[in-house]
Amino acid sequence: MYEDKTLICKECGAEFVFTAGEQEFYASKGFENEPQRCKACRDARKNAQKPEREMYTSVCASCGKEARVPFKPREDRPVYCSECFAKMKEEQA
């Protein structure tokens, strides 16, 4: 029913494939127009509209390394770096 189509991105001019599966998905959602941008340009456009997230620096309660987190650390709660947080999650699973 659907066949892969090669389209040209209107943003960067690169060729990209509009797959049969994507076409089927678009049709199921009622979309009538083909995508005009490649995945990279669509993602860049989407992310450009998001405000930059403020990051805070703290000290990891487990290993003592610097930890950057997207929330303001509180004195009464421990903060962990990404590595220690991942280890703790693995142990709980």
Side-chain angles (χ1 to χ4, degrees):
M1 187 162 165
Y2 294 103
E3 289 185 24
D4 290 358
K5 289 183 185 179
T6 300
L7 304 175
I8 306 292
C9 176
K10 78 174 194 178
E11 199 85 14
C12 68
E15 287 187 353
F16 66 98
V17 177
F18 185 34
T19 67
E22 289 171 330
Q23 292 174 52
E24 195 171 332
F25 173 77
Y26 271 52
S28 73
K29 294 291 182 185
F31 301 147
E32 296 178 5
N33 299 323
E34 295 178 341
Q36 301 208 355
R37 292 177 180 82
C38 64
K39 174 96 171 98
C41 288
R42 284 196 314 262
D43 289 346
R45 185 177 168 98
K46 187 168 89 175
N47 291 332
Q49 295 171 356
K50 292 181 184 175
E52 192 65 32
R53 201 169 194 190
E54 186 175 357
M55 298 296 279
Y56 298 88
T57 303
S58 186
V59 176
C60 176
S62 182
C63 70
K65 287 195 281 186
E66 181 179 285
R68 294 191 35 84
V69 293
F71 57 87
K72 189 168 186 168
R74 298 184 347 205
E75 295 295 321
D76 63 331
R77 308 268 326 244
V79 173
Y80 300 99
C81 67
S82 298
E83 292 172 12
C84 291
F85 185 77
K87 284 179 195 171
M88 287 175 45
K89 261 187 128 165
E90 282 179 18
E91 290 171 5
Q92 291 176 355

Coordinates of all heavy atoms in Angstrom, one line a residue:
M1 N 0.8 -1.2 0.0 CA 0.0 0.0 0.0 C 0.9 1.3 0.0 O 0.8 2.1 -0.9 CB -0.9 0.0 1.2 CG -1.9 1.1 1.2 SD -3.2 0.6 2.4 CE -4.0 2.1 2.6
Y2 N 1.7 1.4 1.0 CA 2.6 2.5 1.0 C 4.0 2.1 0.7 O 4.4 1.0 0.9 CB 2.7 3.1 2.5 CG 1.4 3.7 2.9 CD1 0.6 3.1 3.8 CD2 1.0 5.0 2.5 CE1 -0.6 3.6 4.3 CE2 -0.2 5.6 2.9 CZ -1.0 4.9 3.8 OH -2.2 5.4 4.2
E3 N 4.8 3.0 0.0 CA 6.2 2.7 -0.3 C 7.0 3.9 0.2 O 6.6 5.0 0.3 CB 6.3 2.7 -1.8 CG 5.7 1.4 -2.5 CD 6.0 1.3 -3.9 OE1 7.0 1.9 -4.4 OE2 5.2 0.6 -4.6
D4 N 8.3 3.5 0.6 CA 9.2 4.6 1.1 C 9.4 5.6 0.0 O 9.4 5.4 -1.2 CB 10.6 3.9 1.4 CG 10.6 3.0 2.6 OD1 9.5 2.9 3.2 OD2 11.6 2.5 2.9
K5 N 9.4 6.9 0.5 CA 9.6 8.0 -0.4 C 10.8 8.8 0.1 O 11.1 9.0 1.3 CB 8.4 9.0 -0.3 CG 7.2 8.6 -1.0 CD 6.1 9.7 -0.9 CE 4.8 9.2 -1.4 NZ 3.8 10.3 -1.2
T6 N 11.6 9.3 -0.9 CA 12.8 10.2 -0.5 C 12.3 11.6 -0.7 O 11.8 12.0 -1.8 CB 14.0 9.9 -1.5 OG1 14.3 8.5 -1.3 CG2 15.1 10.8 -1.1
L7 N 12.4 12.4 0.4 CA 12.0 13.8 0.4 C 13.2 14.7 0.6 O 14.3 14.2 1.1 CB 11.0 14.0 1.5 CG 9.7 13.2 1.4 CD1 8.8 13.4 2.6 CD2 8.9 13.4 0.1
I8 N 13.1 15.9 0.4 CA 14.2 16.9 0.6 C 13.7 17.8 1.7 O 12.7 18.4 1.7 CB 14.4 17.8 -0.7 CG1 14.7 16.9 -1.9 CG2 15.6 18.8 -0.4 CD1 16.0 16.1 -1.9
C9 N 14.6 18.0 2.7 CA 14.4 18.8 3.9 C 14.4 20.3 3.5 O 15.4 20.7 2.8 CB 15.4 18.6 5.0 SG 15.3 19.6 6.4
K10 N 13.4 21.0 3.8 CA 13.3 22.4 3.4 C 14.2 23.3 4.3 O 14.5 24.4 3.9 CB 11.9 23.0 3.5 CG 11.3 23.3 4.8 CD 10.0 24.0 4.7 CE 9.5 24.6 5.9 NZ 8.2 25.3 5.8
E11 N 14.7 22.7 5.4 CA 15.6 23.5 6.3 C 17.0 23.4 5.9 O 17.7 24.4 5.7 CB 15.4 22.9 7.7 CG 15.9 23.8 8.8 CD 14.8 24.8 9.2 OE1 13.6 24.7 8.9 OE2 15.2 25.8 9.9
C12 N 17.5 22.1 5.7 CA 19.0 21.9 5.4 C 19.2 21.4 4.0 O 20.4 21.3 3.6 CB 19.6 20.9 6.5 SG 19.0 19.2 6.3
G13 N 18.2 21.0 3.3 CA 18.4 20.5 1.9 C 18.8 19.1 1.8 O 19.0 18.6 0.7
A14 N 18.9 18.4 2.9 CA 19.3 17.0 2.9 C 18.2 16.1 2.5 O 17.0 16.4 2.7 CB 19.9 16.6 4.2
E15 N 18.5 15.0 1.9 CA 17.5 14.0 1.5 C 17.2 13.1 2.8 O 18.1 12.9 3.6 CB 18.0 13.0 0.4 CG 18.0 13.7 -0.9 CD 18.4 12.7 -2.0 OE1 18.7 11.5 -1.7 OE2 18.3 13.1 -3.2
F16 N 15.9 12.8 3.0 CA 15.5 11.9 4.0 C 14.4 11.0 3.5 O 13.7 11.3 2.6 CB 15.1 12.6 5.3 CG 13.9 13.4 5.2 CD1 12.7 12.9 5.7 CD2 13.9 14.7 4.7 CE1 11.5 13.7 5.6 CE2 12.8 15.5 4.6 CZ 11.6 15.0 5.0
V17 N 14.3 9.8 4.2 CA 13.3 8.8 3.7 C 12.0 8.9 4.6 O 12.1 8.9 5.8 CB 13.9 7.4 3.8 CG1 12.8 6.4 3.4 CG2 15.1 7.3 2.9
F18 N 10.9 9.1 3.9 CA 9.6 9.0 4.6 C 9.1 7.6 4.4 O 8.6 7.2 3.3 CB 8.7 10.1 3.9 CG 7.3 10.3 4.5 CD1 7.1 10.2 5.8 CD2 6.2 10.5 3.7 CE1 5.9 10.4 6.4 CE2 5.0 10.7 4.2 CZ 4.8 10.6 5.6
T19 N 9.3 6.8 5.4 CA 9.1 5.4 5.3 C 7.6 5.0 5.1 O 6.7 5.8 5.5 CB 9.6 4.6 6.5 OG1 8.9 5.0 7.6 CG2 11.1 4.9 6.7
A20 N 7.4 3.8 4.7 CA 6.0 3.3 4.5 C 5.3 3.3 5.9 O 4.1 3.7 6.0 CB 6.0 1.9 3.9
G21 N 6.0 2.9 6.9 CA 5.5 2.9 8.3 C 5.1 4.3 8.8 O 4.0 4.5 9.4
E22 N 6.0 5.3 8.5 CA 5.6 6.6 8.9 C 4.4 7.2 8.1 O 3.6 7.8 8.7 CB 6.9 7.5 8.6 CG 8.0 7.3 9.5 CD 9.3 8.1 9.1 OE1 9.5 8.3 7.9 OE2 10.1 8.4 10.0
Q23 N 4.3 6.8 6.8 CA 3.2 7.2 6.0 C 1.9 6.6 6.6 O 0.9 7.3 6.7 CB 3.4 6.8 4.6 CG 4.5 7.5 3.9 CD 4.8 7.0 2.5 OE1 3.8 6.8 1.7 NE2 6.0 6.6 2.2
E24 N 2.0 5.4 7.0 CA 0.8 4.7 7.6 C 0.4 5.4 8.9 O -0.8 5.7 9.1 CB 1.1 3.3 7.8 CG -0.1 2.4 8.1 CD 0.2 0.9 8.1 OE1 1.2 0.5 7.4 OE2 -0.5 0.2 8.8
F25 N 1.4 5.8 9.7 CA 1.2 6.5 10.9 C 0.5 7.8 10.7 O -0.5 8.2 11.3 CB 2.5 6.6 11.7 CG 2.3 7.5 12.9 CD1 1.8 7.0 14.1 CD2 2.7 8.8 13.0 CE1 1.6 7.8 15.2 CE2 2.6 9.6 14.1 CZ 2.0 9.1 15.2
Y26 N 1.1 8.6 9.7 CA 0.5 9.9 9.4 C -1.0 9.8 9.0 O -1.8 10.5 9.4 CB 1.3 10.5 8.2 CG 2.5 11.4 8.7 CD1 3.4 10.9 9.6 CD2 2.7 12.7 8.2 CE1 4.5 11.6 10.0 CE2 3.7 13.4 8.6 CZ 4.7 12.9 9.5 OH 5.7 13.7 9.9
A27 N -1.2 8.8 8.1 CA -2.6 8.5 7.6 C -3.5 8.2 8.8 O -4.7 8.7 8.9 CB -2.6 7.4 6.6
S28 N -3.1 7.4 9.7 CA -3.9 7.0 10.9 C -4.2 8.2 11.8 O -5.3 8.2 12.4 CB -3.2 5.9 11.7 OG -2.1 6.4 12.5
K29 N -3.3 9.2 11.8 CA -3.6 10.4 12.6 C -4.4 11.4 11.8 O -4.7 12.5 12.4 CB -2.2 11.0 13.1 CG -1.5 10.1 14.0 CD -2.2 10.0 15.3 CE -1.4 9.2 16.3 NZ -2.1 9.0 17.6
G30 N -4.6 11.2 10.6 CA -5.4 12.1 9.8 C -4.5 13.2 9.2 O -5.0 14.2 8.6
F31 N -3.2 13.1 9.2 CA -2.3 14.1 8.6 C -2.3 14.0 7.1 O -2.2 12.9 6.6 CB -0.9 13.9 9.1 CG -0.7 14.1 10.6 CD1 0.3 13.3 11.3 CD2 -1.5 14.9 11.4 CE1 0.4 13.4 12.7 CE2 -1.4 15.0 12.8 CZ -0.4 14.2 13.4
E32 N -2.5 15.1 6.4 CA -2.6 15.0 5.0 C -1.3 15.4 4.3 O -1.0 15.1 3.2 CB -3.7 15.9 4.5 CG -5.1 15.4 5.0 CD -6.2 16.3 4.5 OE1 -6.0 17.2 3.8 OE2 -7.4 15.9 5.0
N33 N -0.4 16.2 5.0 CA 0.8 16.7 4.4 C 2.0 15.8 4.8 O 2.1 15.3 5.9 CB 1.1 18.2 4.9 CG 0.0 19.1 4.5 OD1 -0.6 19.0 3.4 ND2 -0.3 20.1 5.3
E34 N 2.9 15.7 3.9 CA 4.2 15.0 4.2 C 5.1 15.9 5.0 O 4.9 17.1 5.0 CB 4.9 14.7 2.8 CG 4.1 13.7 1.9 CD 4.8 13.5 0.6 OE1 5.7 14.3 0.2 OE2 4.5 12.5 0.0
P35 N 6.0 15.2 5.8 CA 6.9 16.1 6.6 C 7.8 16.9 5.6 O 8.1 16.4 4.5 CB 7.7 15.0 7.4 CG 7.6 13.8 6.6 CD 6.2 13.8 5.9
Q36 N 8.1 18.1 6.1 CA 8.9 19.0 5.2 C 10.4 19.1 5.7 O 11.2 19.6 5.1 CB 8.3 20.3 5.2 CG 6.9 20.3 4.6 CD 6.5 21.6 3.9 OE1 7.2 22.5 4.0 NE2 5.4 21.5 3.4
R37 N 10.6 18.5 7.0 CA 12.0 18.6 7.5 C 12.4 17.2 7.9 O 11.7 16.4 8.3 CB 11.9 19.5 8.8 CG 11.7 20.9 8.5 CD 11.6 21.7 9.8 NE 11.4 23.1 9.5 CZ 10.2 23.7 9.2 NH1 9.1 22.9 9.3 NH2 10.0 24.9 9.0
C38 N 13.7 17.0 7.9 CA 14.3 15.7 8.3 C 14.2 15.6 9.8 O 14.0 16.6 10.5 CB 15.8 15.6 7.8 SG 16.9 16.9 8.6
K39 N 14.5 14.5 10.3 CA 14.4 14.2 11.8 C 15.2 15.2 12.6 O 14.8 15.7 13.6 CB 14.7 12.8 12.1 CG 14.7 12.4 13.5 CD 13.4 11.8 14.0 CE 13.5 11.2 15.4 NZ 13.0 12.1 16.4
A40 N 16.5 15.4 12.1 CA 17.4 16.2 12.9 C 16.9 17.7 12.9 O 16.9 18.3 14.0 CB 18.8 16.2 12.2
C41 N 16.4 18.2 11.8 CA 15.8 19.5 11.8 C 14.6 19.7 12.6 O 14.3 20.7 13.2 CB 15.7 20.0 10.4 SG 17.2 20.3 9.5
R42 N 13.7 18.6 12.5 CA 12.5 18.6 13.4 C 12.8 18.7 14.8 O 12.3 19.4 15.6 CB 11.6 17.4 13.1 CG 10.9 17.5 11.7 CD 9.7 16.5 11.6 NE 10.1 15.1 12.1 CZ 10.4 14.1 11.2 NH1 10.5 14.3 9.9 NH2 10.6 12.9 11.7
D43 N 13.8 17.8 15.2 CA 14.2 17.8 16.6 C 14.8 19.1 17.1 O 14.5 19.6 18.2 CB 15.2 16.7 16.9 CG 14.6 15.3 16.8 OD1 13.3 15.2 16.8 OD2 15.3 14.3 16.7
A44 N 15.7 19.7 16.2 CA 16.3 21.0 16.6 C 15.3 22.1 16.7 O 15.3 22.9 17.6 CB 17.3 21.4 15.5
R45 N 14.3 22.1 15.8 CA 13.2 23.1 15.9 C 12.4 22.9 17.1 O 12.0 23.9 17.8 CB 12.3 22.9 14.6 CG 11.3 24.0 14.4 CD 10.6 23.7 13.1 NE 9.4 24.4 13.0 CZ 9.3 25.5 12.3 NH1 10.3 26.1 11.7 NH2 8.1 26.2 12.2
K46 N 12.1 21.7 17.5 CA 11.3 21.4 18.7 C 12.0 21.8 19.9 O 11.5 22.5 20.8 CB 10.9 19.9 18.7 CG 10.0 19.6 19.8 CD 9.5 18.2 19.7 CE 10.4 17.2 20.4 NZ 9.9 15.8 20.4
N47 N 13.3 21.5 20.0 CA 14.1 21.8 21.2 C 14.4 23.3 21.3 O 14.7 23.8 22.4 CB 15.4 21.0 21.2 CG 15.1 19.6 21.5 OD1 14.1 19.2 22.1 ND2 16.0 18.7 20.9
A48 N 14.4 24.0 20.2 CA 14.7 25.5 20.2 C 13.6 26.2 21.0 O 13.8 27.3 21.5 CB 14.9 26.0 18.8
Q49 N 12.4 25.7 21.0 CA 11.3 26.3 21.6 C 11.2 26.1 23.1 O 10.5 26.8 23.8 CB 10.0 25.9 21.0 CG 9.9 26.2 19.5 CD 8.7 25.6 18.9 OE1 8.0 24.8 19.5 NE2 8.4 25.9 17.6
K50 N 12.0 25.2 23.6 CA 12.0 24.9 25.1 C 13.0 25.8 25.8 O 14.1 26.0 25.3 CB 12.5 23.4 25.3 CG 11.5 22.4 24.9 CD 12.0 21.0 25.2 CE 11.1 20.0 24.6 NZ 11.6 18.6 24.9
P51 N 12.7 26.4 26.9 CA 13.6 27.2 27.6 C 14.7 26.3 28.2 O 14.5 25.2 28.5 CB 12.8 27.8 28.7 CG 11.6 26.9 28.9 CD 11.4 26.3 27.6
E52 N 15.9 26.9 28.3 CA 17.1 26.2 28.8 C 16.8 25.9 30.3 O 16.4 26.8 31.0 CB 18.4 27.0 28.6 CG 19.6 26.3 28.9 CD 19.9 25.2 27.9 OE1 19.5 25.3 26.7 OE2 20.5 24.2 28.3
R53 N 17.1 24.7 30.7 CA 16.8 24.2 32.0 C 18.0 24.7 32.9 O 19.1 24.5 32.6 CB 16.7 22.7 32.1 CG 16.0 22.2 33.2 CD 15.8 20.7 33.0 NE 14.8 20.2 33.9 CZ 14.5 19.0 34.1 NH1 15.1 18.1 33.4 NH2 13.6 18.6 35.0
E54 N 17.6 25.3 34.1 CA 18.6 25.8 35.0 C 19.2 24.6 35.8 O 18.4 23.8 36.3 CB 18.0 26.8 36.0 CG 19.0 27.4 36.9 CD 18.5 28.5 37.8 OE1 17.3 28.8 37.6 OE2 19.2 29.0 38.6
M55 N 20.5 24.5 35.9 CA 21.1 23.4 36.6 C 21.8 23.9 37.8 O 22.3 25.0 37.8 CB 22.1 22.7 35.7 CG 21.5 22.0 34.4 SD 20.4 20.7 34.8 CE 21.5 19.4 35.0
Y56 N 21.9 23.1 38.9 CA 22.5 23.4 40.1 C 23.7 22.5 40.4 O 23.6 21.3 40.0 CB 21.5 23.4 41.3 CG 20.4 24.3 41.1 CD1 19.2 24.0 40.4 CD2 20.4 25.6 41.6 CE1 18.2 24.9 40.2 CE2 19.4 26.5 41.5 CZ 18.3 26.1 40.8 OH 17.2 27.0 40.6
T57 N 24.7 23.0 41.0 CA 25.8 22.2 41.4 C 25.8 21.8 42.9 O 25.5 22.7 43.7 CB 27.1 22.9 41.1 OG1 27.1 23.3 39.7 CG2 28.4 22.1 41.3
S58 N 26.1 20.6 43.2 CA 26.1 20.1 44.5 C 27.2 19.0 44.7 O 27.9 18.7 43.7 CB 24.7 19.5 44.9 OG 24.7 19.1 46.2
V59 N 27.4 18.5 45.9 CA 28.3 17.4 46.1 C 27.6 16.1 46.3 O 26.6 16.1 47.1 CB 29.2 17.7 47.3 CG1 30.2 16.6 47.6 CG2 30.0 19.0 47.1
C60 N 28.0 15.1 45.6 CA 27.4 13.7 45.7 C 27.5 13.2 47.1 O 28.6 13.2 47.7 CB 28.0 12.8 44.7 SG 27.3 11.1 44.9
A61 N 26.4 12.8 47.7 CA 26.3 12.3 49.1 C 27.0 10.9 49.2 O 27.4 10.5 50.3 CB 24.9 12.2 49.6
S62 N 27.2 10.3 48.1 CA 27.8 8.9 48.1 C 29.3 9.0 47.8 O 30.1 8.4 48.6 CB 27.1 8.0 47.1 OG 27.6 6.7 47.1
C63 N 29.8 9.6 46.7 CA 31.2 9.5 46.4 C 31.9 10.8 46.5 O 33.1 10.9 46.5 CB 31.3 9.1 44.9 SG 30.7 10.3 43.7
G64 N 31.2 11.9 46.8 CA 31.8 13.2 47.0 C 32.2 14.0 45.7 O 32.7 15.1 45.8
K65 N 31.9 13.4 44.6 CA 32.2 14.2 43.3 C 31.1 15.2 43.1 O 30.1 15.3 43.7 CB 32.1 13.2 42.1 CG 33.3 12.3 42.0 CD 33.4 11.6 40.6 CE 32.5 10.5 40.5 NZ 32.6 9.7 39.3
E66 N 31.4 16.1 42.2 CA 30.4 17.2 41.8 C 29.2 16.6 41.1 O 29.4 15.7 40.3 CB 31.1 18.2 40.9 CG 30.2 19.4 40.5 CD 30.9 20.4 39.6 OE1 31.7 21.2 40.1 OE2 30.6 20.4 38.4
A67 N 28.0 17.0 41.5 CA 26.8 16.5 40.9 C 26.0 17.7 40.3 O 25.9 18.7 41.0 CB 26.0 15.8 41.9
R68 N 25.6 17.7 39.1 CA 24.8 18.7 38.5 C 23.4 18.2 38.4 O 23.1 17.2 37.8 CB 25.3 19.1 37.1 CG 26.7 19.8 37.2 CD 27.3 20.5 36.0 NE 26.4 21.2 35.1 CZ 25.9 22.4 35.3 NH1 26.2 23.1 36.4 NH2 25.1 23.0 34.4
V69 N 22.5 18.9 39.0 CA 21.1 18.5 39.1 C 20.1 19.6 38.6 O 20.4 20.8 38.7 CB 20.7 18.0 40.5 CG1 21.5 16.8 40.9 CG2 21.0 19.1 41.5
P70 N 18.9 19.3 38.1 CA 18.0 20.2 37.6 C 17.0 20.8 38.7 O 16.0 21.4 38.4 CB 17.2 19.5 36.5 CG 17.2 18.1 37.1 CD 18.5 17.9 37.7
F71 N 17.4 20.6 39.9 CA 16.6 21.2 41.0 C 17.5 21.8 42.1 O 18.7 21.5 42.1 CB 15.7 20.0 41.7 CG 16.6 18.9 42.2 CD1 17.1 18.9 43.4 CD2 16.8 17.8 41.4 CE1 17.9 17.8 43.9 CE2 17.6 16.7 41.8 CZ 18.1 16.7 43.1
K72 N 17.0 22.7 42.9 CA 17.8 23.3 43.9 C 17.9 22.4 45.1 O 16.9 22.0 45.7 CB 17.1 24.6 44.3 CG 18.0 25.5 45.2 CD 17.4 26.8 45.4 CE 18.4 27.6 46.2 NZ 18.1 29.0 46.2
P73 N 19.1 21.9 45.4 CA 19.3 21.0 46.5 C 18.9 21.6 47.8 O 19.1 22.8 48.1 CB 20.9 20.7 46.4 CG 21.3 21.2 45.1 CD 20.4 22.3 44.7
R74 N 18.4 20.7 48.7 CA 18.0 21.1 50.0 C 19.0 20.5 51.0 O 19.5 19.4 50.8 CB 16.6 20.7 50.3 CG 15.6 21.3 49.4 CD 14.1 21.0 49.7 NE 13.9 19.9 50.7 CZ 12.8 19.2 50.7 NH1 11.8 19.4 49.8 NH2 12.6 18.2 51.6
E75 N 19.1 21.1 52.2 CA 20.0 20.6 53.2 C 19.6 19.2 53.8 O 20.4 18.4 54.1 CB 20.2 21.6 54.3 CG 20.8 22.9 53.9 CD 22.3 22.7 53.5 OE1 23.0 22.0 54.1 OE2 22.7 23.4 52.5
D76 N 18.3 19.0 53.8 CA 17.7 17.8 54.5 C 17.6 16.6 53.6 O 17.2 15.6 54.0 CB 16.4 18.1 55.1 CG 15.3 18.5 54.1 OD1 15.7 19.1 53.0 OD2 14.1 18.3 54.3
R77 N 18.0 16.7 52.3 CA 17.9 15.6 51.3 C 19.2 15.4 50.7 O 19.9 16.3 50.2 CB 16.8 15.9 50.3 CG 15.5 16.4 50.7 CD 14.5 15.3 50.9 NE 14.5 14.2 50.0 CZ 13.6 13.8 49.2 NH1 12.5 14.6 49.1 NH2 13.7 12.7 48.5
P78 N 19.7 14.1 50.6 CA 21.0 13.9 49.9 C 20.8 14.0 48.4 O 19.8 13.8 47.8 CB 21.3 12.4 50.2 CG 19.9 11.8 50.5 CD 19.1 12.9 51.1
V79 N 21.9 14.4 47.7 CA 22.0 14.6 46.3 C 23.1 13.6 45.8 O 24.1 13.5 46.4 CB 22.4 16.0 45.9 CG1 22.6 16.2 44.4 CG2 21.3 17.0 46.3
Y80 N 22.8 12.9 44.7 CA 23.7 11.9 44.1 C 24.1 12.3 42.7 O 23.3 12.9 41.9 CB 23.1 10.5 44.1 CG 22.7 10.1 45.5 CD1 21.4 10.2 46.0 CD2 23.7 9.6 46.4 CE1 21.1 9.8 47.2 CE2 23.3 9.2 47.7 CZ 22.0 9.3 48.1 OH 21.7 8.9 49.3
C81 N 25.4 12.0 42.3 CA 25.8 12.2 40.9 C 25.1 11.2 40.1 O 24.5 10.2 40.6 CB 27.3 12.1 40.8 SG 28.0 10.4 41.1
S82 N 25.1 11.3 38.8 CA 24.5 10.4 37.9 C 24.9 8.9 38.0 O 24.0 8.0 38.0 CB 24.7 10.8 36.4 OG 24.2 12.1 36.2
E83 N 26.2 8.7 38.2 CA 26.7 7.4 38.4 C 26.1 6.7 39.6 O 25.7 5.6 39.6 CB 28.2 7.4 38.4 CG 28.8 7.7 37.1 CD 30.3 7.9 37.2 OE1 30.9 7.6 38.2 OE2 30.9 8.5 36.2
C84 N 26.2 7.4 40.8 CA 25.7 6.8 42.0 C 24.2 6.6 42.0 O 23.7 5.6 42.5 CB 26.1 7.7 43.2 SG 27.9 7.7 43.5
F85 N 23.5 7.6 41.4 CA 22.1 7.4 41.3 C 21.7 6.2 40.5 O 20.8 5.4 40.9 CB 21.5 8.7 40.7 CG 20.0 8.7 40.7 CD1 19.3 9.0 41.8 CD2 19.3 8.5 39.5 CE1 17.9 9.0 41.8 CE2 17.9 8.5 39.5 CZ 17.2 8.7 40.6
A86 N 22.4 6.0 39.4 CA 22.1 4.8 38.6 C 22.4 3.5 39.3 O 21.7 2.5 39.2 CB 23.0 4.9 37.3
K87 N 23.5 3.5 40.1 CA 23.9 2.3 40.9 C 22.8 2.0 41.9 O 22.4 0.9 42.1 CB 25.2 2.5 41.6 CG 26.4 2.4 40.8 CD 27.7 2.6 41.6 CE 28.9 2.9 40.7 NZ 30.0 3.3 41.5
M88 N 22.3 3.1 42.6 CA 21.2 2.9 43.6 C 20.0 2.3 42.9 O 19.3 1.5 43.5 CB 20.9 4.2 44.3 CG 22.0 4.7 45.2 SD 21.7 6.3 46.0 CE 20.0 6.3 46.4
K89 N 19.6 2.8 41.7 CA 18.4 2.3 41.0 C 18.6 0.9 40.7 O 17.6 0.1 40.8 CB 18.2 3.2 39.8 CG 17.2 4.2 39.9 CD 16.9 4.9 38.6 CE 15.4 4.8 38.4 NZ 14.9 5.7 37.3
E90 N 19.8 0.5 40.2 CA 20.0 -0.9 39.9 C 19.9 -1.8 41.1 O 19.3 -2.9 41.0 CB 21.5 -1.1 39.3 CG 21.6 -0.7 37.9 CD 23.0 -0.8 37.4 OE1 23.8 -1.6 38.1 OE2 23.4 -0.2 36.4
E91 N 20.4 -1.4 42.2 CA 20.3 -2.2 43.5 C 18.8 -2.4 43.9 O 18.5 -3.4 44.5 CB 21.1 -1.5 44.6 CG 22.6 -1.6 44.4 CD 23.4 -0.7 45.3 OE1 22.8 -0.2 46.3 OE2 24.6 -0.6 45.2
Q92 N 18.0 -1.4 43.7 CA 16.6 -1.4 44.1 C 15.8 -2.4 43.2 O 14.8 -2.9 43.5 CB 15.9 -0.1 44.1 CG 16.5 0.8 45.2 CD 15.9 2.2 45.1 OE1 15.2 2.6 44.2 NE2 16.2 3.0 46.1
A93 N 16.2 -2.5 41.9 CA 15.5 -3.4 41.0 C 15.6 -4.8 41.2 O 16.3 -5.4 41.9 CB 15.9 -3.0 39.5

